[in-house]
Amino acid sequence: MEEEYDVIVLGTGLKLYRRFNVIGPPEPMGRGREWNVDLVPKFLMANGQLVKMLLYTEVTRYIDFKVVDGSYVYKAGRIHKVPCTEEEALVSDLMGMFEKRRFRKFLLFVLNFVEHDVKTYQDIDPKRMTMREVYRKFDLGAEVMAFTGHALALYRTDDYLDQPCLETINRIKLYCESLAKYSKSPYMYPLYGLGELPQGFARLSALYGGIYMLNKPVDEILMEKGKVVGVKSEGEVAHCKQLICDPSYVPGQVKKIGQVIRVICILSHPIRNTNECTSCQIIIPQTQVNRKSDIYVCMVSCSHRVASDGKYVAIISTTVESENPESEILPALELLEPVDQKFVSISDQYVPKHDGTKSQIFISRSYDATTHFETTCDDIRDIFQRMTGASLDFKDMWCVASDMDKQDGE
């Protein structure tokens, strides 16, 4: 360990029953090795930032993915499939007859929109006109605005309504393009859970001289003249020029911005009204439950090799808004009943107090309540820019990855 590295990355691993101080798993749950429950589960958008990164780095050669079966949105106490094609828009029970036609026109506008082609704008200035004005132009009502903004564009609040519409249009296009890849839903999830991602990176990094040290406690982060110089563990020191870590390693260098409640639920049945899906995402828009932020549910099962046969793992998450967080997730919990066993956690959310350029300690943000990786990838881009001074462009990475695929084909 007494060596010098360019960068050290600190990470933490936890086991479910040990994390919650619960004896288990009980006998009916099957063998422990059949379970791979992620404490902060997130799906990957099929055409999203993380998938492009995995393709570019070729980590995908070590990981198998399976498409998530469905994507749903909550309305008036029931869940409905998210419509994001012309055909689905016309048969969706989320809207009345006339609203279906208006939404179809809006969807066609978004799908045909090209940022560099003014002919596709339809008298909409994407850098000036707000999303609220775009909805008004297509005469879309409040409930259509809710599922479009939260289930398609994946916004957590309604702040986007009064911002230029370009970002929202691109987000909806991303959702639809991701869906078009596999038709069931726009989301993917690794077989055996998200633990496969660091495992894949570990195997790849070994090819380039990277070293993973498991079960190594961090005793101290060593500094000299205000800059990080290494990490001390069990009397040994690993020297480094830069350090990446999450807020738990440097509590004095982060500030709290809120809390997230997560409830892991073990089920013996699929979620009702999801067409017997073995995996799915459900978004409960804030307006449906009189909140300021959305509630998320993601469900996986033995089909993704994360649970015993006949068992399902559903995770509820949302931003805490009151003194009684568990009462805030009741609408989601009702969708899952009956629940065999549940694990509740409330986590503080932190952001770094500094950009890390002086100390060379680069701190990530705490995971938010969303069940997708897009906001996490934004954090990765931010850290990369702070570390190197250069921007991390996923579009360029995607082009390089596509060129590599073509060369392999030749």
Side-chain angles (χ1 to χ4, degrees):
M1 184 169 170
E2 296 281 348
E3 296 183 37
E4 180 160 350
Y5 304 91
D6 293 323
V7 181
I8 290 178
V9 182
L10 303 181
T12 304
L14 296 169
K15 292 187 177 180
L16 178 63
Y17 282 86
R18 189 181 300 171
R19 162 71 173 80
F20 292 96
N21 296 317
V22 176
I23 298 173
E27 252 184 65
M29 296 295 183
R31 292 175 297 178
R33 65 183 181 185
E34 295 176 332
W35 293 83
N36 296 284
V37 180
D38 294 310
L39 301 184
V40 185
K42 288 181 181 285
F43 292 152
L44 289 76
M45 294 285 281
N47 204 37
Q49 299 183 72
L50 183 55
V51 168
K52 292 174 182 177
M53 189 189 306
L54 295 175
L55 286 169
Y56 175 74
T57 57
E58 298 187 303
V59 175
T60 46
R61 72 175 81 167
Y62 304 113
I63 307 172
D64 291 320
F65 292 90
K66 189 175 187 296
V67 179
V68 173
D69 287 342
S71 179
Y72 296 85
V73 65
Y74 177 98
K75 177 187 174 185
R78 294 185 64 243
I79 56 176
H80 309 260
K81 192 174 188 308
V82 177
C84 48
T85 66
E86 295 177 58
E87 295 77 14
E88 288 180 349
L90 291 174
V91 298
S92 173
D93 55 1
L94 278 168
M95 301 168 280
M97 183 189 304
F98 297 112
E99 193 126 55
K100 287 178 183 178
R101 294 176 182 173
R102 293 193 291 268
F103 179 70
R104 177 179 174 274
K105 287 182 181 178
F106 166 76
L107 207 54
L108 283 171
F109 158 71
V110 171
L111 293 173
N112 293 324
F113 177 86
V114 178
E115 187 175 348
H116 304 297
D117 186 357
V118 180
K119 294 177 183 176
T120 65
Y121 284 15
Q122 294 189 22
D123 298 324
I124 290 173
D125 185 340
K127 295 183 179 178
R128 289 180 177 271
M129 186 178 285
T130 66
M131 200 61 211
R132 191 186 300 276
E133 292 170 327
V134 172
Y135 286 140
R136 194 177 298 132
K137 175 181 172 65
F138 286 93
D139 197 20
L140 299 177
E143 291 190 345
V144 177
M145 290 165 57
F147 78 71
T148 302
H150 296 264
L152 291 178
L154 301 177
Y155 284 108
R156 289 174 285 170
T157 69
D158 279 343
D159 294 346
Y160 80 97
L161 286 171
D162 298 308
Q163 296 170 356
C165 64
L166 179 60
E167 172 69 15
T168 302
I169 291 171
N170 285 333
R171 281 173 171 242
I172 298 171
K173 282 177 71 73
L174 169 62
Y175 188 101
C176 295
E177 289 165 359
S178 296
L179 178 72
K181 281 186 173 289
Y182 301 107
S183 74
K184 281 186 176 182
S185 86
Y187 301 109
M188 303 190 304
Y189 195 70
L191 293 183
Y192 304 102
L194 295 178
E196 294 298 293
L197 294 180
Q199 206 165 181
F201 273 107
R203 295 176 68 181
L204 182 68
S205 68
L207 299 177
Y208 298 93
I211 298 174
Y212 268 63
M213 300 180 190
L214 303 177
N215 299 317
K216 294 293 286 183
V218 176
D219 299 328
E220 186 182 357
I221 295 173
L222 304 176
M223 308 288 292
E224 282 184 13
K225 297 180 180 178
K227 285 191 175 185
V228 66
V229 293
V231 176
K232 189 175 182 180
S233 174
E234 299 176 320
E236 298 180 295
V237 175
H239 300 277
C240 66
K241 299 169 185 174
Q242 294 181 312
L243 178 74
I244 302 173
C245 64
D246 69 46
S248 66
Y249 291 97
V250 284
Q253 300 181 43
V254 294
K255 61 180 178 181
K256 181 179 172 180
I257 58 168
Q259 290 183 309
V260 171
I261 179 172
R262 293 184 177 89
V263 183
I264 299 173
C265 301
I266 310 297
L267 315 177
S268 295
H269 58 86
I271 299 173
R272 294 187 301 276
N273 301 316
T274 62
N275 198 28
E276 302 294 307
C277 279
T278 58
S279 57
C280 67
Q281 175 182 259
I282 303 169
I283 293 179
I284 303 179
Q286 54 180 38
T287 53
Q288 289 292 318
V289 284
N290 297 315
R291 288 173 47 81
K292 297 176 183 176
S293 51
D294 296 345
I295 302 173
Y296 299 88
V297 180
C298 69
M299 189 267 285
V300 286
S301 66
C302 56
S303 68
H304 277 93
R305 310 287 190 272
V306 298
S308 296
D309 286 346
K311 295 295 181 180
Y312 303 77
V313 182
I315 298 92
I316 305 167
S317 58
T318 192
T319 302
V320 174
E321 297 180 2
S322 72
E323 296 298 320
N324 186 8
E326 288 194 53
S327 68
E328 299 181 42
I329 52 89
L330 286 178
L333 204 55
E334 289 170 0
L335 298 176
L336 307 182
E337 292 177 344
V339 175
D340 295 347
Q341 191 170 10
K342 68 177 181 179
F343 306 86
V344 181
S345 67
I346 299 171
S347 308
D348 291 337
Q349 276 192 294
Y350 297 99
V351 296
K353 290 180 180 178
H354 57 79
D355 64 7
T357 52
K358 289 183 178 179
S359 66
Q360 292 297 292
I361 297 177
F362 301 95
I363 309 164
S364 64
R365 300 171 66 95
S366 300
Y367 285 118
D368 60 28
T370 60
T371 49
H372 57 82
F373 269 108
E374 294 306 296
T375 52
T376 304
C377 286
D378 290 338
D379 193 27
I380 292 170
R381 292 170 66 169
D382 179 54
I383 292 173
F384 183 87
Q385 186 156 25
R386 285 187 275 140
M387 289 181 68
T388 66
S391 60
L392 184 61
D393 194 326
F394 289 107
K395 290 181 181 177
D396 290 345
M397 293 171 68
W398 182 246
C399 292
V400 172
S402 299
D403 290 342
M404 291 165 64
D405 288 341
K406 289 177 184 176
Q407 289 173 12
D408 291 342
E410 292 171 359

